[in-house]
Amino acid sequence: MATVKDFKGDVSTWCPGCGDFSVMAALQRAAVNMGLEPHQMSVISGIGCSSKISEYTRTYGFHGIHGRSLPVAQGAKMANPELTVIASGGDGDGYGIGVGHFIHAVRRNIDITYLVMDNQIYGLTKGQTSPRSQHDFVTKTTAKGNKEYPVDPISTALSNGGTFIAQGYSGDVKNLTEIIEKAISHKGFSLVNVFSPCVTFNKINTYNFFKDNLVHIDQAFSSRTEAINYVKEHNGLVTGIVYEEEQQDFQSQLGIDWNMHVSSGDMDADMIHEIEKTFM
């Protein structure tokens, strides 16, 4: 049986105190708690500090281009449904250039987990406004304050048919581990947005800020409307599983026999003919 040590990859270059350490620790601990082996999981990421998690976690992985983790992750799941697929990255990656892919993955309900490390700033490029930066937030690119309003990922996922929507916090690894386990267990698309402070460039949304302002949800809402209202009422500063619903996932709806083991065995003429009959 694998241990956390088996899931540790390359040595991290994250800044000391970065919230992403806790997110990675929670993911690795969740995998161990669920009895997964490294070869049974794939971590697929885009670009940014947080997207380095695919290098730092010893599983199958792919470190792609900006905002494109979800298309690759969905393809990996389609090719090998037995694989536990984690798409990951930051708020700039996922809710900026990747926001179109985000919405379509939500409504498609393919059985993967999307883990977003939300530090509300572009950290890798040294501190510019991100899609999650608050209104009037001062950065290098918004010296007079950010004139835009932040993307609301939880409400966006709720209103576009998300079947598992949760939010965690790097300062509470135990709770975050439990959320990730439930997200992976959910049959369908699961979003886990994590408040993950950037200790170097974001001096507003700090550990102390989240400690003072986050409100925990003990039980998921049964109504999307109630969930959206509650999230709005608390300015998005909630943790816990916000909403969960059982709904047939994308592959099940297609009704295709997925037991072809395309990605886990040698290809021969018979298998190619089988694929042609199924998909063409």
Side-chain angles (χ1 to χ4, degrees):
M1 183 176 175
T3 66
V4 170
K5 185 177 180 181
D6 295 316
F7 282 89
K8 292 187 182 299
D10 293 348
V11 175
S12 167
T13 58
W14 287 329
C15 301
C18 174
D20 296 349
F21 282 106
S22 297
V23 181
M24 183 171 66
L27 174 63
Q28 294 172 348
R29 171 53 63 186
V32 171
N33 291 348
M34 297 179 73
L36 293 170
E37 300 289 336
H39 71 276
Q40 295 174 314
M41 178 184 283
S42 180
V43 179
I44 295 165
S45 61
I47 294 294
C49 293
S50 52
S51 290
K52 294 179 180 178
I53 193 172
S54 59
E55 300 174 24
Y56 304 156
T57 301
R58 185 173 170 268
T59 63
Y60 289 118
F62 186 90
H63 193 167
I65 57 176
H66 213 301
R68 301 293 191 269
S69 63
L70 282 170
V72 177
Q74 291 172 86
K77 186 67 179 182
M78 292 286 282
N80 186 357
E82 296 176 0
L83 197 63
T84 295
V85 176
I86 310 294
S88 64
D91 54 303
D93 183 73
Y95 306 142
I97 195 169
V99 71
H101 296 298
F102 170 55
I103 291 172
H104 292 296
V106 167
R107 72 180 181 86
R108 191 168 292 127
N109 198 36
I110 193 166
D111 187 20
I112 65 175
T113 295
Y114 189 29
L115 189 58
V116 181
M117 285 156 267
D118 182 358
N119 60 13
Q120 299 163 309
I121 202 163
Y122 280 105
L124 186 65
T125 47
K126 304 190 184 306
Q128 297 85 14
T129 301
S130 86
R132 286 281 293 144
S133 296
Q134 297 299 307
H135 185 65
D136 284 336
F137 190 65
V138 176
T139 69
K140 293 177 179 177
T141 51
T142 53
K144 295 183 179 179
N146 181 23
K147 302 308 178 191
E148 298 176 311
Y149 292 88
V151 169
D152 180 346
I154 302 300
S155 297
T156 300
L158 281 164
S159 60
N160 282 279
T163 56
F164 184 102
I165 300 158
Q167 194 154 255
Y169 167 49
S170 288
D172 188 349
V173 178
K174 180 175 181 296
N175 180 251
L176 181 57
T177 302
E178 292 172 357
I179 289 174
I180 293 173
E181 287 179 38
K182 290 175 181 173
I184 292 174
S185 298
H186 177 75
K187 186 67 172 172
F189 184 84
S190 51
L191 168 68
V192 183
N193 189 70
V194 185
F195 291 119
S196 182
C198 173
V199 295
T200 303
F201 295 108
N202 190 335
K203 304 300 184 184
I204 303 296
N205 307 113
T206 63
Y207 286 99
N208 284 336
F209 169 83
F210 289 115
K211 182 180 177 183
D212 292 340
N213 290 283
L214 285 176
V215 177
H216 184 69
I217 297 172
D218 293 323
Q219 186 171 358
F221 290 94
S222 56
S223 154
R224 293 179 187 275
T225 302
E226 284 183 294
I228 290 173
N229 288 341
Y230 190 86
V231 169
K232 294 290 186 187
E233 181 183 335
H234 291 84
N235 199 28
L237 294 169
V238 300
T239 59
I241 299 171
V242 179
Y243 183 80
E244 184 172 13
E245 174 187 350
E246 287 187 20
Q247 193 180 103
Q248 202 173 27
D249 71 301
F250 184 67
Q251 284 132 306
S252 300
Q253 289 192 65
L254 290 178
I256 296 172
D257 176 11
W258 295 100
N259 297 319
M260 294 183 297
H261 305 288
V262 174
S263 61
S264 58
D266 295 332
M267 297 287 284
D268 57 24
D270 290 340
M271 179 171 285
I272 292 173
H273 292 323
E274 186 181 354
I275 293 171
E276 287 176 339
K277 282 194 301 183
T278 304
F279 293 98
M280 301 178 69

